Amino acid sequence: MRNFLLLCLLIVSTLTFYDHPKMLPYSEPVLDWLAEHISLPGAQSDSMVTRKIQKAFYAIGQDYGTGQQEALAKAARTIDNLLQFRRDYCQNGDFHPALFGDAMQRACDVLRQYPKLEEFKKD
Protein backbone atom coordinates (compact mmCIF):
# COMPACT_ATOMS: atom_id res chain seq x y z
CA MET A 1 0.00 0.00 0.00
CA ARG A 2 2.85 2.36 0.84
CA ASN A 3 4.49 1.77 -2.55
CA PHE A 4 1.20 2.51 -4.31
CA LEU A 5 0.81 5.81 -2.47
CA LEU A 6 4.39 6.78 -3.28
CA LEU A 7 3.78 5.96 -6.94
CA CYS A 8 0.63 8.11 -6.96
CA LEU A 9 2.50 10.95 -5.30
CA LEU A 10 5.29 10.68 -7.87
CA ILE A 11 2.86 10.73 -10.80
CA VAL A 12 0.88 13.69 -9.48
CA SER A 13 4.00 15.69 -8.64
CA THR A 14 5.45 14.99 -12.08
CA LEU A 15 2.26 16.16 -13.78
CA THR A 16 2.02 19.19 -11.53
CA PHE A 17 5.54 20.49 -11.94
CA TYR A 18 6.14 19.49 -15.53
CA ASP A 19 4.52 22.21 -17.69
CA HIS A 20 6.18 21.43 -20.97
CA PRO A 21 3.77 22.18 -23.85
CA LYS A 22 3.91 18.58 -25.06
CA MET A 23 2.98 17.33 -21.57
CA LEU A 24 0.11 19.75 -20.93
CA PRO A 25 -2.55 17.78 -22.88
CA TYR A 26 -1.85 14.81 -20.62
CA SER A 27 -1.45 16.67 -17.33
CA GLU A 28 -4.45 19.00 -17.71
CA PRO A 29 -7.18 16.32 -17.35
CA VAL A 30 -5.49 14.85 -14.29
CA LEU A 31 -5.08 18.25 -12.63
CA ASP A 32 -8.65 19.25 -13.47
CA TRP A 33 -9.95 16.03 -11.99
CA LEU A 34 -7.92 16.58 -8.82
CA ALA A 35 -9.17 20.16 -8.50
CA GLU A 36 -12.79 19.00 -8.82
CA HIS A 37 -12.62 16.03 -6.48
CA ILE A 38 -10.18 17.20 -3.83
CA SER A 39 -11.60 20.32 -2.27
CA LEU A 40 -9.24 22.57 -0.43
CA PRO A 41 -10.26 25.27 2.07
CA GLY A 42 -11.37 28.44 0.31
CA ALA A 43 -13.36 28.82 -2.87
CA GLN A 44 -10.44 29.56 -5.15
CA SER A 45 -6.76 29.82 -4.48
CA ASP A 46 -4.19 31.71 -6.49
CA SER A 47 -2.86 28.45 -7.93
CA MET A 48 -6.32 27.40 -9.12
CA VAL A 49 -6.91 30.75 -10.81
CA THR A 50 -3.44 30.64 -12.36
CA ARG A 51 -4.05 27.10 -13.67
CA LYS A 52 -7.38 28.14 -15.22
CA ILE A 53 -5.78 31.11 -16.95
CA GLN A 54 -2.81 29.00 -18.06
CA LYS A 55 -5.23 26.49 -19.56
CA ALA A 56 -7.13 29.23 -21.41
CA PHE A 57 -3.89 30.82 -22.64
CA TYR A 58 -2.65 27.39 -23.78
CA ALA A 59 -5.85 26.93 -25.80
CA ILE A 60 -5.38 30.37 -27.37
CA GLY A 61 -1.74 29.61 -28.17
CA GLN A 62 -2.69 26.49 -30.14
CA ASP A 63 -4.04 28.73 -32.90
CA TYR A 64 -0.75 30.62 -33.22
CA GLY A 65 2.99 29.99 -33.51
CA THR A 66 5.59 29.10 -30.91
CA GLY A 67 6.49 32.75 -30.24
CA GLN A 68 2.94 33.52 -29.23
CA GLN A 69 2.69 30.32 -27.20
CA GLU A 70 5.84 31.19 -25.27
CA ALA A 71 4.65 34.76 -24.65
CA LEU A 72 1.32 33.53 -23.31
CA ALA A 73 3.00 30.88 -21.14
CA LYS A 74 5.36 33.48 -19.70
CA ALA A 75 2.48 35.86 -19.00
CA ALA A 76 0.49 33.16 -17.19
CA ARG A 77 3.38 31.82 -15.12
CA THR A 78 2.50 33.77 -11.93
CA ILE A 79 -0.17 36.10 -10.60
CA ASP A 80 2.32 38.98 -10.71
CA ASN A 81 3.03 38.31 -14.39
CA LEU A 82 -0.69 38.19 -15.11
CA LEU A 83 -1.31 41.48 -13.32
CA GLN A 84 1.55 43.17 -15.17
CA PHE A 85 0.39 41.73 -18.50
CA ARG A 86 -3.16 42.95 -17.91
CA ARG A 87 -1.98 46.40 -16.83
CA ASP A 88 0.52 46.89 -19.66
CA TYR A 89 -1.27 45.36 -22.62
CA CYS A 90 -4.99 45.17 -21.82
CA GLN A 91 -5.45 48.39 -19.85
CA ASN A 92 -2.68 50.66 -21.12
CA GLY A 93 -2.76 49.32 -24.68
CA ASP A 94 1.02 48.90 -25.00
CA PHE A 95 2.36 47.01 -28.02
CA HIS A 96 3.55 43.44 -27.46
CA PRO A 97 5.98 42.25 -30.16
CA ALA A 98 4.63 38.67 -30.24
CA LEU A 99 0.98 39.18 -29.29
CA PHE A 100 -1.18 41.66 -31.15
CA GLY A 101 -4.52 41.79 -32.86
CA ASP A 102 -6.76 38.80 -32.30
CA ALA A 103 -4.33 36.96 -30.01
CA MET A 104 -4.07 39.95 -27.67
CA GLN A 105 -7.83 40.47 -27.73
CA ARG A 106 -8.47 36.85 -26.79
CA ALA A 107 -5.90 36.96 -23.98
CA CYS A 108 -7.43 40.16 -22.60
CA ASP A 109 -10.89 38.60 -22.80
CA VAL A 110 -9.69 35.75 -20.61
CA LEU A 111 -8.25 38.18 -18.06
CA ARG A 112 -11.51 40.18 -18.03
CA GLN A 113 -13.18 37.06 -16.60
CA TYR A 114 -11.10 37.59 -13.44
CA PRO A 115 -11.71 41.23 -12.42
CA LYS A 116 -10.50 40.62 -8.87
CA LEU A 117 -7.17 39.07 -9.83
CA GLU A 118 -5.38 41.44 -7.43
CA GLU A 119 -6.89 39.61 -4.46
CA PHE A 120 -4.72 36.60 -5.19
CA LYS A 121 -1.49 38.56 -5.22
CA LYS A 122 0.83 37.52 -2.42
CA ASP A 123 2.27 40.38 -0.43
Short mmCIF file of all heavy atoms in Angstrom, two decimals, residues 51-84:
data_model
loop_
_atom_site.label_atom_id
_atom_site.label_comp_id
_atom_site.label_asym_id
_atom_site.label_seq_id
_atom_site.Cartn_x
_atom_site.Cartn_y
_atom_site.Cartn_z
N ARG A 51 -3.91 28.29 -12.81
CA ARG A 51 -4.05 27.10 -13.67
C ARG A 51 -5.16 27.30 -14.70
O ARG A 51 -5.02 26.91 -15.85
CB ARG A 51 -4.36 25.84 -12.84
CG ARG A 51 -3.26 25.37 -11.94
CD ARG A 51 -2.07 24.79 -12.64
NE ARG A 51 -2.40 23.68 -13.51
CZ ARG A 51 -1.61 23.28 -14.49
NH1 ARG A 51 -0.46 23.88 -14.72
NH2 ARG A 51 -1.94 22.27 -15.25
N LYS A 52 -6.28 27.91 -14.29
CA LYS A 52 -7.38 28.14 -15.22
C LYS A 52 -6.95 29.10 -16.33
O LYS A 52 -7.26 28.89 -17.50
CB LYS A 52 -8.60 28.69 -14.49
CG LYS A 52 -9.30 27.67 -13.63
CD LYS A 52 -10.48 28.28 -12.92
CE LYS A 52 -11.16 27.27 -12.03
NZ LYS A 52 -12.30 27.87 -11.30
N ILE A 53 -6.24 30.15 -15.95
CA ILE A 53 -5.78 31.11 -16.95
C ILE A 53 -4.72 30.48 -17.84
O ILE A 53 -4.71 30.70 -19.06
CB ILE A 53 -5.29 32.40 -16.28
CG1 ILE A 53 -6.47 33.10 -15.57
CG2 ILE A 53 -4.65 33.34 -17.29
CD1 ILE A 53 -6.08 34.29 -14.73
N GLN A 54 -3.82 29.70 -17.26
CA GLN A 54 -2.81 29.00 -18.06
C GLN A 54 -3.48 28.09 -19.08
O GLN A 54 -3.06 28.01 -20.24
CB GLN A 54 -1.89 28.18 -17.16
CG GLN A 54 -0.88 28.98 -16.41
CD GLN A 54 -0.09 28.13 -15.41
OE1 GLN A 54 -0.47 27.01 -15.09
NE2 GLN A 54 0.99 28.69 -14.91
N LYS A 55 -4.52 27.39 -18.66
CA LYS A 55 -5.23 26.49 -19.56
C LYS A 55 -5.88 27.27 -20.70
O LYS A 55 -5.80 26.87 -21.87
CB LYS A 55 -6.28 25.70 -18.78
CG LYS A 55 -6.99 24.67 -19.59
CD LYS A 55 -7.95 23.87 -18.73
CE LYS A 55 -8.66 22.83 -19.56
NZ LYS A 55 -9.58 22.02 -18.77
N ALA A 56 -6.49 28.41 -20.37
CA ALA A 56 -7.13 29.23 -21.41
C ALA A 56 -6.09 29.81 -22.36
O ALA A 56 -6.28 29.83 -23.57
CB ALA A 56 -7.94 30.34 -20.76
N PHE A 57 -4.96 30.28 -21.81
CA PHE A 57 -3.89 30.82 -22.64
C PHE A 57 -3.28 29.72 -23.52
O PHE A 57 -2.90 29.97 -24.66
CB PHE A 57 -2.81 31.47 -21.79
CG PHE A 57 -3.12 32.89 -21.37
CD1 PHE A 57 -4.38 33.44 -21.50
CD2 PHE A 57 -2.12 33.70 -20.85
CE1 PHE A 57 -4.65 34.74 -21.12
CE2 PHE A 57 -2.38 35.00 -20.48
CZ PHE A 57 -3.65 35.53 -20.61
N TYR A 58 -3.17 28.51 -22.99
CA TYR A 58 -2.65 27.39 -23.78
C TYR A 58 -3.56 27.11 -24.97
O TYR A 58 -3.11 26.89 -26.09
CB TYR A 58 -2.50 26.14 -22.91
CG TYR A 58 -2.03 24.94 -23.67
CD1 TYR A 58 -0.69 24.81 -24.03
CD2 TYR A 58 -2.92 23.93 -24.05
CE1 TYR A 58 -0.25 23.70 -24.75
CE2 TYR A 58 -2.48 22.83 -24.76
CZ TYR A 58 -1.15 22.72 -25.10
OH TYR A 58 -0.73 21.63 -25.82
N ALA A 59 -4.88 27.16 -24.72
CA ALA A 59 -5.85 26.93 -25.80
C ALA A 59 -5.74 28.03 -26.85
O ALA A 59 -5.82 27.75 -28.06
CB ALA A 59 -7.26 26.87 -25.23
N ILE A 60 -5.55 29.26 -26.43
CA ILE A 60 -5.38 30.37 -27.37
C ILE A 60 -4.11 30.16 -28.18
O ILE A 60 -4.09 30.34 -29.40
CB ILE A 60 -5.32 31.72 -26.63
CG1 ILE A 60 -6.68 32.05 -26.01
CG2 ILE A 60 -4.88 32.84 -27.56
CD1 ILE A 60 -6.64 33.22 -25.05
N GLY A 61 -3.04 29.78 -27.52
CA GLY A 61 -1.74 29.61 -28.17
C GLY A 61 -1.73 28.53 -29.23
O GLY A 61 -0.90 28.56 -30.15
N GLN A 62 -2.65 27.57 -29.15
CA GLN A 62 -2.69 26.49 -30.14
C GLN A 62 -3.05 26.99 -31.53
O GLN A 62 -2.75 26.34 -32.51
CB GLN A 62 -3.68 25.40 -29.70
CG GLN A 62 -3.26 24.68 -28.44
CD GLN A 62 -1.87 24.10 -28.55
OE1 GLN A 62 -1.59 23.27 -29.42
NE2 GLN A 62 -0.96 24.53 -27.70
N ASP A 63 -3.67 28.16 -31.60
CA ASP A 63 -4.04 28.73 -32.90
C ASP A 63 -2.92 29.56 -33.51
O ASP A 63 -3.08 30.05 -34.62
CB ASP A 63 -5.29 29.61 -32.75
CG ASP A 63 -6.51 28.80 -32.32
OD1 ASP A 63 -6.52 27.57 -32.56
OD2 ASP A 63 -7.44 29.39 -31.76
N TYR A 64 -1.83 29.73 -32.78
CA TYR A 64 -0.75 30.62 -33.22
C TYR A 64 0.59 29.88 -33.18
O TYR A 64 0.65 28.70 -32.86
CB TYR A 64 -0.72 31.88 -32.35
CG TYR A 64 -2.03 32.63 -32.39
CD1 TYR A 64 -2.94 32.52 -31.36
CD2 TYR A 64 -2.36 33.41 -33.49
CE1 TYR A 64 -4.15 33.19 -31.41
CE2 TYR A 64 -3.57 34.09 -33.55
CZ TYR A 64 -4.46 33.97 -32.50
OH TYR A 64 -5.67 34.63 -32.56
N GLY A 65 1.67 30.59 -33.46
CA GLY A 65 2.99 29.99 -33.51
C GLY A 65 3.64 29.85 -32.15
O GLY A 65 3.08 30.22 -31.11
N THR A 66 4.88 29.35 -32.17
CA THR A 66 5.59 29.10 -30.91
C THR A 66 5.93 30.39 -30.18
O THR A 66 5.96 30.41 -28.95
CB THR A 66 6.88 28.31 -31.16
OG1 THR A 66 7.69 29.01 -32.10
CG2 THR A 66 6.56 26.92 -31.69
N GLY A 67 6.19 31.47 -30.89
CA GLY A 67 6.49 32.75 -30.24
C GLY A 67 5.32 33.24 -29.41
O GLY A 67 5.49 33.69 -28.27
N GLN A 68 4.12 33.13 -29.96
CA GLN A 68 2.94 33.52 -29.23
C GLN A 68 2.67 32.57 -28.06
O GLN A 68 2.28 33.01 -26.97
CB GLN A 68 1.71 33.57 -30.15
CG GLN A 68 1.73 34.70 -31.13
CD GLN A 68 2.46 34.36 -32.42
OE1 GLN A 68 3.05 33.28 -32.55
NE2 GLN A 68 2.44 35.27 -33.37
N GLN A 69 2.89 31.29 -28.27
CA GLN A 69 2.69 30.32 -27.20
C GLN A 69 3.62 30.60 -26.02
O GLN A 69 3.21 30.55 -24.87
CB GLN A 69 2.92 28.90 -27.72
CG GLN A 69 1.86 28.42 -28.66
CD GLN A 69 2.19 27.07 -29.27
OE1 GLN A 69 3.22 26.47 -28.99
NE2 GLN A 69 1.30 26.58 -30.13
N GLU A 70 4.88 30.90 -26.33
CA GLU A 70 5.84 31.19 -25.27
C GLU A 70 5.50 32.48 -24.55
O GLU A 70 5.63 32.57 -23.32
CB GLU A 70 7.25 31.27 -25.85
CG GLU A 70 7.79 29.93 -26.32
CD GLU A 70 9.11 30.05 -27.08
OE1 GLU A 70 9.62 31.18 -27.23
OE2 GLU A 70 9.59 29.01 -27.54
N ALA A 71 5.03 33.49 -25.28
CA ALA A 71 4.65 34.76 -24.65
C ALA A 71 3.46 34.57 -23.72
O ALA A 71 3.42 35.11 -22.62
CB ALA A 71 4.34 35.81 -25.71
N LEU A 72 2.48 33.79 -24.16
CA LEU A 72 1.32 33.53 -23.31
C LEU A 72 1.69 32.69 -22.09
O LEU A 72 1.21 32.95 -20.99
CB LEU A 72 0.23 32.82 -24.13
CG LEU A 72 -0.49 33.68 -25.16
CD1 LEU A 72 -1.31 32.81 -26.11
CD2 LEU A 72 -1.35 34.71 -24.48
N ALA A 73 2.56 31.71 -22.28
CA ALA A 73 3.00 30.88 -21.14
C ALA A 73 3.76 31.72 -20.13
O ALA A 73 3.58 31.56 -18.92
CB ALA A 73 3.85 29.72 -21.64
N LYS A 74 4.60 32.62 -20.60
CA LYS A 74 5.36 33.48 -19.70
C LYS A 74 4.42 34.42 -18.95
O LYS A 74 4.60 34.65 -17.75
CB LYS A 74 6.39 34.29 -20.49
CG LYS A 74 7.23 35.19 -19.62
CD LYS A 74 8.23 35.98 -20.44
CE LYS A 74 9.00 36.94 -19.54
NZ LYS A 74 9.86 37.83 -20.32
N ALA A 75 3.42 34.94 -19.64
CA ALA A 75 2.48 35.86 -19.00
C ALA A 75 1.66 35.16 -17.93
O ALA A 75 1.32 35.76 -16.91
CB ALA A 75 1.56 36.48 -20.04
N ALA A 76 1.35 33.89 -18.13
CA ALA A 76 0.49 33.16 -17.19
C ALA A 76 1.26 32.40 -16.13
O ALA A 76 0.67 31.65 -15.36
CB ALA A 76 -0.39 32.19 -17.97
N ARG A 77 2.56 32.59 -16.06
CA ARG A 77 3.38 31.82 -15.12
C ARG A 77 3.02 32.12 -13.67
O ARG A 77 2.94 31.22 -12.84
CB ARG A 77 4.85 32.10 -15.39
CG ARG A 77 5.75 31.05 -14.77
CD ARG A 77 7.15 31.12 -15.33
NE ARG A 77 7.16 30.61 -16.70
CZ ARG A 77 7.85 31.14 -17.69
NH1 ARG A 77 8.60 32.19 -17.49
NH2 ARG A 77 7.80 30.63 -18.89
N THR A 78 2.81 33.40 -13.31
CA THR A 78 2.50 33.77 -11.93
C THR A 78 1.41 34.84 -11.92
O THR A 78 1.13 35.47 -12.94
CB THR A 78 3.74 34.35 -11.20
OG1 THR A 78 4.12 35.57 -11.83
CG2 THR A 78 4.89 33.36 -11.20
N ILE A 79 0.85 35.05 -10.75
CA ILE A 79 -0.17 36.10 -10.60
C ILE A 79 0.45 37.46 -10.90
O ILE A 79 -0.19 38.30 -11.56
CB ILE A 79 -0.76 36.06 -9.17
CG1 ILE A 79 -1.59 34.80 -8.95
CG2 ILE A 79 -1.60 37.30 -8.89
CD1 ILE A 79 -2.88 34.74 -9.74
N ASP A 80 1.66 37.69 -10.44
CA ASP A 80 2.32 38.98 -10.71
C ASP A 80 2.49 39.22 -12.20
O ASP A 80 2.27 40.33 -12.69
CB ASP A 80 3.68 39.06 -10.01
CG ASP A 80 3.56 39.14 -8.49
OD1 ASP A 80 2.55 39.72 -8.02
OD2 ASP A 80 4.44 38.64 -7.79
N ASN A 81 2.89 38.18 -12.94
CA ASN A 81 3.03 38.31 -14.39
C ASN A 81 1.69 38.61 -15.04
O ASN A 81 1.60 39.42 -15.96
CB ASN A 81 3.61 37.03 -15.00
CG ASN A 81 5.07 36.83 -14.69
OD1 ASN A 81 5.67 37.60 -13.97
ND2 ASN A 81 5.63 35.76 -15.22
N LEU A 82 0.64 37.95 -14.56
CA LEU A 82 -0.69 38.19 -15.11
C LEU A 82 -1.16 39.62 -14.86
O LEU A 82 -1.73 40.27 -15.74
CB LEU A 82 -1.70 37.20 -14.52
CG LEU A 82 -1.60 35.77 -15.02
CD1 LEU A 82 -2.43 34.84 -14.16
CD2 LEU A 82 -2.02 35.68 -16.47
N LEU A 83 -0.91 40.11 -13.64
CA LEU A 83 -1.31 41.48 -13.32
C LEU A 83 -0.55 42.49 -14.17
O LEU A 83 -1.13 43.46 -14.67
CB LEU A 83 -1.09 41.76 -11.83
CG LEU A 83 -2.04 41.04 -10.88
CD1 LEU A 83 -1.57 41.20 -9.44
CD2 LEU A 83 -3.46 41.56 -11.05
N GLN A 84 0.74 42.26 -14.35
CA GLN A 84 1.55 43.17 -15.17
C GLN A 84 1.11 43.10 -16.63
O GLN A 84 1.00 44.12 -17.30
CB GLN A 84 3.03 42.83 -15.05
CG GLN A 84 3.90 43.78 -15.84
CD GLN A 84 5.38 43.48 -15.68
OE1 GLN A 84 5.76 42.57 -14.96
NE2 GLN A 84 6.20 44.25 -16.35
#
